[in-house]
């Protein structure tokens, strides 16, 4: 890797009261790369990506996007850089329908005077939504039903579709396949490949070793709020990864 | 709300089971409309010639107009998952401010009347902003924040007037808003319906409406999508306050007095109307049509019960029953949804 990292976290710490969620965590991803972020439950994976995308401000440490420090930025400002996130808790509005959720915070307005009055262009958003969903082979029977009426897997697909649609440079996915059946999981993995082919990067948090081995170029392992390994998937065995997660094996990490 | 989402995730493996349809239908605006039609039908059968006349329906609308104006604002507030207990007091306060301003300017003429209207709207908006700021900046729950301004606005109105109602309304206002009619329809009613129409369109068709639902449905999701939740809430409470201010000047023109003591339970009546109309106290769900119907039900009951010779106290009883039934149906809907 000789190019500059797309995104880099350096020695990030984050405390919640008495809990040290991150104790100097570092992370790196390069353009066009799929990097899996792995680690035990409570290792700090979700906290790390939330500090990256602006939900939390880091207590200390740096977050650099294309060399620019973005730690503590507002989520909206981070989004404007082309970074989108699928949160572990999905972050959908359960009472709104699928198109409304896809366009949440980016509602499309009609042209002219109506647009100036804030009138939504519902039909164009609905058309765009069904185009996106077909593209991602997500099947939703009734896109006009509140997403709460969808199955957990469908809700997850909506959240993934939203992130992929809006991300120009980086998609962050926190356990996007946790609720999915085998075919849907394969669809998401195929989608991740397509995002990479389009030149964008993906951070994938997952507990599923086979999934990670299938799509990730590299694997970074967090343990107790710290990075303990940076591995290249093709040169790594599952035993090494498990060892890194449990602490049985520690790699000297070049920072 | 987050747990809502997680619950749904837990049930992934379950096949798409059919939803309970009946409670869902009963909770929607169409069904509350059926209940209103039923109420109208019963009174029509009991005393057709007195009840079922254009004149009497107009009277019902006049009686419902003030509440409807406030209920439009409350619909937005409840959809965000909040509540506004201050509306009746803000109505009184705004009427008092308008009255003082108009008296100070000479008390007659169109210029004075328009200044009075502006003063009422400003006074109401100011209270709405106070509510919104206390809720978003000081993080005081809406129930307490607006209970506080309920007391404070009423108190200030009494202090300003020394407890004596103002009674000088410019004749221009009395002749138009107070008793004026256009094509036989009272101007008061036209104003209320126009407010409801605009409110309904904003809720249904605009980004502001969409975000109102989003904030009430899952504030955290809205925040992470880049919506400025606090600023949106501030706007919603400001509009609710402005509409209470509008109701203040309407009330002043209609009754010819600031009715200091007459609005202590407006807040509860407004919430009852909105909730009967199918808006959820938990936020994220509601329609303006529902609110219009929900406002008309108590008004129709009050009117009809008197016409058929029953004491109007029965209205309170009947409204209480309808209110609890409406919330029960809403709960039923939510349970059927989350236990899918
Ligand atoms: N908002 C919060 N308030 C308090 N503690 C928190 C908060 N968020 C996370 N934590 C704590 O920080 C630690 C790291 O949590 P985090 O969610 O980042 O783990 P994770 O690696 O994503 O785990 P999982 O695989 O279970 O999702 C945990 O001990 C957790 O309890
Ligand atoms: Mg997590």
């Amino acid at each position: 890797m000789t190019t500059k990292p797309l995104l880099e976290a350096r020695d990030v710490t984050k405390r919640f009261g008495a809990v040290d969620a991150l104790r100097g965590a570092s992370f790196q991803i390069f353009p066009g790369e799929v990097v899996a972020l792995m680690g035990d439950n409570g290792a700090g994976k979700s906290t790390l990506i939330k500090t990256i995308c602006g939900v939390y401000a880091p207590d200390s440490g740096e977050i650099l996007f294309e060399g620019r420090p973005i730690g503590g930025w507002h989520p909206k400002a981070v989004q404007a850089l082309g970074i989108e996130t699928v949160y572990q808790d999905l972050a959908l509005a359960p009472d709104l329908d699928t198109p409304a959720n896809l366009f949440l915070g980016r509602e499309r307005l009609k042209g002219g005077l109506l647009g100036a009055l804030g009138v939504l262009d519902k039909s164009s958003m609905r058309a765009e939504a069904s185009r996106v969903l077909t593209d991602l082979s997500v099947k939703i029977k009734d896109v006009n039903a509140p997403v709460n009426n969808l199955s957990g897997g469908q809700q997850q697909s909506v959240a993934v579709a939203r992130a992929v649609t809006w991300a120009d440079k980086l998609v962050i996915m926190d356990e996007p396949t946790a609720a999915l059946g085998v075919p849907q999981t394969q669809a998401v993995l195929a989608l991740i490949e397509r995002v990479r082919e389009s030149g964008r990067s993906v951070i994938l948090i997952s507990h599923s070793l086979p999934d990670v081995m299938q799509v990730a170029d590299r694997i970074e392992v967090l343990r107790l709020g710290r990075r303990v390994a940076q591995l290249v998937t093709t040169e790594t065995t599952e035993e090494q990864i498990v060892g890194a997660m449990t602490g049985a094996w520690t790699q000297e990490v070049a920072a | 709300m987050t747990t809502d989402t997680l619950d749904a995730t837990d049930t992934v493996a379950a096949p798409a089971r059919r939803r309970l349809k009946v409670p869902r239908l009963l909770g929607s605006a169409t069904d509350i409309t059926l209940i209103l039609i039923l109420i109208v039908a019963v009174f029509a059968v009991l005393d057709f010639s007195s009840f079922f006349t254009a004149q009497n329906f107009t009277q019902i609308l006049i009686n419902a107009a003030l509440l409807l104006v406030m209920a439009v604002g409350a619909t937005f507030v409840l959809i965000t998952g909040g509540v506004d207990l201050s509306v009746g007091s803000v109505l009184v306060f705004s009427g008092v401010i308008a009255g003082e301003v108009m008296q100070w300017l000479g008390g007659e003429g169109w210029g004075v009347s328009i200044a009075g209207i502006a003063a009422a709207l400003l006074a109401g908006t100011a209270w709405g902003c106070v509510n919104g700021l206390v809720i978003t900046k000081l993080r005081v729950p809406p129930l307490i924040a607006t209970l506080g301004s309920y007391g404070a606005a009423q108190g200030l109105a009494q202090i300003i007037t020394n407890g004596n109602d103002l009674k000088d309304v410019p004749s221009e206002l009395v002749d138009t808003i107070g008793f004026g009619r256009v094509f036989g329809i009272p101007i008061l009613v036209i104003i209320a319906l126009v407010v409801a129409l605009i409110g309904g369109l904003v809720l249904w068709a605009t980004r502001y409406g969409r975000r109102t639902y989003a904030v009430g449905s899952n504030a955290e999701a809205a925040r992470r999508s880049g919506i400025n939740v606090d600023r949106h809430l501030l706007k919603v409470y400001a509009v609710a306050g402005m509409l209470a201010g509008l109701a203040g000047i309407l009330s002043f023109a209609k009754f010819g007095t600031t009715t200091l003591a007459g609005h202590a339970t407006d807040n509860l009546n407004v919430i009852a109307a909105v909730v009967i109309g199918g808006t959820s106290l938990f936020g994220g769900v509601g329609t303006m049509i529902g609110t219009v119907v929900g406002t008309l039900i108590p008004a129709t009951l009050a009117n009809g019960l008197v016409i058929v010779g029953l004491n109007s106290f029965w209205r309170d009883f009947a409204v209480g029953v309808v209110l609890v039934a409406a919330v029960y149906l809403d709960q039923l809907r939510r349970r059927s949804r989350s236990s899918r």
Side-chain angles (χ1 to χ4, degrees), chain A residues 92 95 107 118 120 122 150, chain B residues 204-205 207 211 217-218 340:
Chain A
L92 299 173
D95 301 292
E107 299 82 357
L120 297 168
K122 289 188 187 177
L150 306 179
Chain B
W204 174 70
R207 180 165 62 187
R211 291 186 170 183
S217 190
N218 186 349
R340 254 180 343 109

Side-chain angles (χ1 to χ4, degrees), chain A residues 50 76 79 87 89-96 100 104-105 107 109 118-120 122 148-150 152-153 155 162 179, chain B residues 2 4-6 8-9 12 19 204-207 210-211 213-214 217-218 221 224-227 283-285 337 340:
Chain A
K50 282 181 182 170
K76 198 168 183 167
Q79 275 184 355
Y87 295 94
D89 52 8
L90 298 186
L92 299 173
D95 301 292
L96 298 185
L104 194 63
E107 299 82 357
L109 300 181
V119 174
L120 297 168
K122 289 188 187 177
N148 215 311
N149 291 350
L150 306 179
Q155 293 185 26
R162 177 170 68 187
Chain B
T2 323
D4 241 348
T5 326
L6 288 177
T9 319
V12 202
R19 271 174 282 132
W204 174 70
T206 70
R207 180 165 62 187
R210 171 68 57 82
R211 291 186 170 183
Y213 285 108
S217 190
N218 186 349
R224 289 189 204 162
S225 313
I227 294 172
V285 175
R337 194 170 71 176
R340 254 180 343 109

Side-chain angles (χ1 to χ4, degrees), chain A residues 45-73:
Chain A
K45 305 180 296 295
S46 298
T47 307
L48 177 60
I49 61 117
K50 282 181 182 170
T51 33
I52 289 173
C53 59
V55 173
Y56 303 139
D59 293 340
S60 72
E62 269 189 312
I63 294 168
L64 304 170
F65 184 76
E66 298 179 328
R68 183 150 57 134
I70 62 163
W73 282 26

